[in-house]
Amino acid sequence: MISFLKNQFGKIKTPKGFIFVISFILSISWFADGLIGVIGLILRGWFWGVVALLSIIPPVVIFWIYKKIPKKPVYENALFISTLLTIVFTATLSVLKFYLNWEADNLLPVIQLFLSTGIFTSSWLYIKELDINFSVRKIEPKDVRGLVIFLSYWEGIPNSLCNELCRFKKPYDFYEYLESNKIRCPWEMQLRLIEKIENDGNKLEFVYLIGSKGNKSSHEQISFFKMMVKRFFPDIKIIPYREPVDFEELEDNIKAIKEAFKELRGKGLKDGQIIIDTTGGQKIQSIAGAFYSSTHDRYFAYVSTNTKEVKIFDVILGEGEE
């Protein structure tokens, strides 16, 4: 489980991680068989009912000791107790089987239910007390095909910009135009991100745009942004989100990102080929993008408004330090 969490929900590399996950899956599969068998034993008479009730010992004892002995790390207590109880219980049943001539078919469901409840309880206590940390690393992905952008509202778009765009051959010409005319353009950072992705050897195919609603609706400016992107990157397909989003509502923003990924997956992209841009919009959009990208093979980008440097991050969930 440690490897499971450290490597973002699924990339298990260590033997310990494999053993833990396999044991957990085994306990779930055994529980159904054991429960059905134990119910059958109980229906056969009071004696077998008493024997069957032994299977509830593991969770009760494990939880009791967990509460009484908090000196060691919880997962060590839980796993140690589970192992000890398994050995003691199996040995006890073996002795009783020898002296009472019990059939193996009668013992198997009790053992299955015992082991499954013990392992499940141990796992639950372990996971319950894990201290999870976030670590972030800067990356340069080489197979980016999709980009999800929160489009900021550009207030005061110059009337002459449409004509000016025709004479720009490269994004640099646009940046120079903004600087020389002292024009603040919130879309400059998104354009720099697209340019960076393209220059790093990626083949960016789709830009998914999420616009804001309200008096200053960037959703209504999507067509202008599309025209600007197409001027420098004609092969990129622009996909607008179906409706304007309230940039003040975190849940709505996460929902929009989720739908963006769903649509891009439908076009053959994998999660690792999609980047979420957290530069545009407000802090809510940065939180939504970083939050959604905190699982395996999802990345988010930020372009510094001061240095204009493009940074792409991979957020990794890991176990806290002991």
Side-chain angles (χ1 to χ4, degrees), residues 203-255:
K203 181 59 179 176
L204 189 61
E205 298 179 40
F206 305 99
V207 170
Y208 194 100
L209 293 178
I210 302 172
S212 63
K213 67 180 180 180
N215 294 330
K216 297 181 178 181
S217 172
S218 64
H219 186 80
E220 297 177 0
Q221 297 179 327
I222 285 179
S223 59
F224 195 92
F225 181 83
K226 178 179 179 180
M227 179 180 66
M228 187 180 72
V229 172
K230 285 288 189 178
R231 178 70 185 93
F232 304 111
F233 308 98
D235 295 333
I236 292 178
K237 298 178 180 64
I238 306 296
I239 306 174
Y241 186 56
R242 51 183 169 78
E243 61 186 15
V245 175
D246 186 349
F247 275 14
E248 294 290 337
E249 291 293 332
L250 178 60
E251 186 175 354
D252 292 347
N253 285 271
I254 293 176
K255 180 182 177 182

Side-chain angles (χ1 to χ4, degrees), residues 37-167:
V38 164
I39 291 174
L41 291 177
I42 294 175
L43 295 176
R44 289 172 56 182
W46 68 268
F47 174 76
W48 285 109
V50 172
V51 174
L53 287 176
L54 292 174
S55 59
I56 69 171
I57 291 177
V60 174
V61 175
I62 290 173
F63 195 76
W64 181 82
I65 297 179
Y66 159 71
K67 288 292 185 181
K68 293 293 182 181
I69 312 177
K71 297 178 182 179
K72 293 182 179 181
V74 175
Y75 72 91
E76 290 185 7
N77 281 333
L79 295 180
F80 172 77
I81 295 165
S82 176
T83 303
L84 180 62
L85 286 176
T86 300
I87 294 173
V88 172
F89 186 73
T90 303
T92 302
L93 287 181
S94 299
V95 172
L96 290 175
K97 177 182 181 300
F98 178 78
Y99 283 103
L100 300 178
N101 294 320
W102 287 352
E103 296 179 1
D105 291 343
N106 294 330
L107 291 177
L108 183 59
V110 179
I111 294 174
Q112 285 180 319
L113 193 59
F114 180 93
L115 292 176
S116 62
T117 55
I119 294 173
F120 187 87
T121 305
S122 301
S123 304
W124 175 70
L125 292 176
Y126 173 35
I127 296 170
K128 179 175 176 289
E129 296 296 332
L130 274 178
D131 180 20
I132 305 300
N133 283 339
F134 288 90
S135 60
V136 181
R137 63 188 180 96
K138 186 179 176 181
I139 62 170
E140 292 187 7
K142 296 299 182 183
D143 189 24
V144 180
R145 296 175 55 196
L147 177 63
V148 179
I149 288 179
F150 288 101
L151 190 65
S152 296
Y153 177 76
W154 186 359
E155 189 170 4
I157 298 177
N159 295 326
S160 61
L161 185 58
C162 289
N163 296 327
E164 294 288 346
L165 279 175
C166 296
R167 67 181 184 85

Side-chain angles (χ1 to χ4, degrees), residues 247-278:
F247 275 14
E248 294 290 337
E249 291 293 332
L250 178 60
E251 186 175 354
D252 292 347
N253 285 271
I254 293 176
K255 180 182 177 182
I257 297 175
K258 184 177 180 180
E259 292 193 25
F261 269 71
K262 181 178 180 181
E263 185 164 348
L264 291 174
R265 288 193 201 106
K267 297 183 181 299
L269 276 65
K270 300 177 182 177
D271 283 11
Q273 297 174 316
I274 305 170
I275 290 179
I276 304 171
D277 174 41
T278 61

